[in-house]
DNA sequence: ACCGTGGTTAGCTTTC
DNA sequence: GAAAGCTAACCACGGT
């Protein structure tokens, strides 16, 4: 729809426009990107499973996992809040020439 | 509907009920769980950022990130579909006594 | 950081700011929205129950509901996949100027 | 795994066991169940979209949708609570012979 | 520069 | 108690 995204596929030195692929190079690069992404997403998924396991452990030792989730969530909020406050402070400082 | 989770905090040998912590042991263990979780979540977040970076790279080399996302998503659907088909097959097999 | 949503309640022509309601109009409209939503959610819930009933029927006639669930899920994946493929195709087409 | 679900496919009068389908009848019935389910799930999805639209409308007229969600949720809790209380009352009444 | 939108992720509910 | 499906909040991106 927009005029900017006409070419989703980067071209090599080819003089002719409107070509999807030149000598397979572009396809290779695309594949490489896709695979790198998929690799990392697998790792991410593995970590998510690890986290789940820890909740399982905690439950096994008698904790209530829901409570732990709450705690983790609260601590995250805390750190975000703290970070924001620090940023605001920095902003003030730079505003009065103390940056 | 009933609340089974009366005790979120496991007790040690203490004879008195309704105590949250005995000698700091439980608190320590809880803290350990929380910190392990937070550590893994940080790693997960880092991976998410890495993935984002790759999309950025791809865009920088001329690809359209939206397209790449679609491809990644499609491939994910493929693998899910394959997995489900296998599971369904197993289910059928067990259903006719071939489990 | 800043709270943009200061006014959750839209104002009418009233000249005074920070008022929750003017002449009951806003409250009425809010109530209308809430009730429309609740009505539809009831219908949705009824449908969910109908679906559950069908699984019950199927089980009663001797089918294994787990298997049926798998089939339904698989078919859903199929249609999602098809849809995504079509979208990807459209994306490609627009990418090479055929949009 | 369980012994109960050996036969997911109900048999007709066929004398031979371990058969998935006799004369296409079972397949037909399965298909019918699946399609009824899918039909209802489509309707359910349509309702979900309608609800989403209403939130959109509400936002368009100046309400904050998050707030509305909260209200709807609270009212749901209220009615559940009320229902539970009524059930409890009924229980009491029947317990003292007023059922 | 803002809004709206779609995608992602976490939390809850229900099922087995 | 574990697993999955559904729902709701969150976030980042593209369009206007």
């Amino acid at each position: 729809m927009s005029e900017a995204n006409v070419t989703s596929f980067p071209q090599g030195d080819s003089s002719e426009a409107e070509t999807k692929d030149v000598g397979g190079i572009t396809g290779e690069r695309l594949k490489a990107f896709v695979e790198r992404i998929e690799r990392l997403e697998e790792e991410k998924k593995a970590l998510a499973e690890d986290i789940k396991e820890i909740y399982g452990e905690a439950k096994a030792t008698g904790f209530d996992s829901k409570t732990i989730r709450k705690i983790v969530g609260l601590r995250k909020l805390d750190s975000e809040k703290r970070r924001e406050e620090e940023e605001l402070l920095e902003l003030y400082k730079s505003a009065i020439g103390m940056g």
Side-chain angles (χ1 to χ4, degrees), chain A:
Chain A
M1 200 169 285
S2 67
E3 286 299 311
N5 284 328
V6 175
T7 13
S8 291
F9 295 86
Q11 305 300 325
D13 302 323
S14 172
S15 55
E16 53 179 4
E18 312 300 330
T19 305
K20 289 204 292 295
D21 193 337
V22 179
I25 303 302
T26 301
E28 286 301 317
R29 301 187 75 176
L30 174 60
K31 191 154 177 270
F33 280 125
V34 168
E35 283 170 357
R36 282 172 67 196
I37 290 166
E38 285 175 343
R39 176 83 176 80
L40 293 180
E41 289 199 338
E42 271 175 41
E43 289 181 33
K44 193 150 71 84
K45 191 181 173 188
L47 281 174
E49 282 160 8
D50 290 348
I51 292 170
K52 213 170 141 189
E53 267 182 48
I54 297 182
Y55 279 110
E57 273 184 58
K59 173 177 288 186
T61 81
F63 288 104
D64 170 47
S65 60
K66 195 172 171 182
T67 304
I68 297 188
R69 273 176 205 283
K70 271 270 178 303
I71 292 171
V72 171
L74 283 178
R75 282 167 60 107
K76 184 149 69 182
L77 279 187
D78 282 349
S79 61
E80 282 171 12
K81 192 160 163 289
R82 198 174 318 123
R83 196 177 50 76
E84 284 198 12
E85 281 168 359
E86 282 164 8
E87 283 175 4
L88 188 60
L89 179 59
E90 288 310 308
L91 194 59
Y92 282 177
K93 282 164 69 176
S94 73
I96 59 174
M98 294 180 60

